[in-house]
Amino acid sequence: MVVSAKGTRLNRRGMQTRLHMIDVAIRCLAAPREGEQVSANLVAREAGVTWGTVQHQFGDADGLWAAVLEHILDEWQPVKAPAEQSESLEERVETIVTRFWRSLGAPQARAVGNLRQLLPGNRTDLEASFPRSASAIAAWDRAWTDAYEGALADLAVDEVKLRRVRIFLPGALRGMRAESELTTYFDLDEGRRGMVDAIVAYLR
């Protein structure tokens, strides 16, 4: 059961309004306008609703952003542990890197990335000013950890090294994705291949 920020149960129309606002927010975040920062007010305007509707549905901007993150995580996860596991460390690492890389081009991933740039970068400030969004981001990190650990489960790999790769891999791939969107003469496929080789050599 989904309830409004006021604690009331949403009827069918209320749910349609809520999902519409979340969809508009994702669209705005995935392709932000030049010269105008994405905000809860912008989302309300683009969705054709009043600020009162935002308050009723989500409470405030923090509630809206948290709902966006939760919705994307529920409907679309960037990386899932494959159903059938190979015995090869190389193949498992390549699967993780390839799936994560492909997911970064999706609108959902761009929306999450741009939203995280809008929110405070300092963890203490984020948790103080946007506690619900901070909780949703923590859930994203847990989902990534579960998928990553699930993909490499049952391999005899040092746990410290596994943790270090889990931490740096998302940022490294986002950096390469950002590079791919610029004019470049680098072969990024070769770069990803080198990343896989380096990770495998480190874990082994």
Side-chain angles (χ1 to χ4, degrees), residues 4-148:
S4 71
K6 306 295 184 181
T8 58
R9 182 175 181 176
L10 294 177
N11 57 22
R12 182 177 179 181
R13 183 176 179 182
M15 279 299 303
Q16 289 176 338
T17 299
R18 182 183 184 89
L19 291 175
H20 172 63
M21 293 176 68
I22 290 174
D23 287 341
V24 170
I26 292 171
R27 187 174 71 244
C28 290
L29 288 164
R33 298 180 174 187
E34 293 185 7
E36 183 176 10
Q37 189 178 61
V38 177
S39 65
N41 281 318
L42 171 64
V43 172
R45 188 167 73 246
E46 291 292 315
V49 301
T50 65
W51 181 248
T53 301
V54 176
Q55 290 179 307
H56 175 73
Q57 288 282 356
F58 307 104
D60 54 14
D62 181 33
L64 171 62
W65 301 143
V68 168
L69 290 165
E70 291 163 359
H71 176 80
I72 293 176
L73 185 58
D74 287 342
E75 299 295 324
W76 175 89
Q77 292 190 30
V79 177
K80 294 182 180 180
E84 296 183 2
Q85 297 280 43
S86 163
E87 292 302 318
S88 165
L89 173 63
E90 292 89 339
E91 290 180 357
R92 293 200 197 185
V93 171
E94 185 167 5
T95 296
I96 294 170
V97 170
T98 299
R99 290 188 178 194
F100 206 121
W101 172 262
R102 289 174 178 171
S103 76
L104 290 174
Q108 296 94 330
R110 293 198 301 271
V112 172
N114 289 330
L115 175 55
R116 294 182 73 165
Q117 290 184 28
L118 288 174
L119 296 171
N122 179 276
R123 181 172 175 176
T124 300
D125 293 340
L126 173 65
E127 293 174 350
S129 301
F130 296 88
R132 295 174 63 186
S133 298
S135 178
I137 291 171
W140 267 84
D141 290 342
R142 287 194 298 272
W144 158 241
T145 298
D146 291 344
Y148 171 82

Side-chain angles (χ1 to χ4, degrees), residues 93 97 176 187-202:
V93 171
V97 170
M176 289 190 66
D187 186 334
L188 293 174
D189 288 335
E190 280 292 290
R192 289 203 309 279
R193 181 67 255 172
M195 182 181 295
V196 171
D197 290 346
I199 291 172
V200 170
Y202 175 67

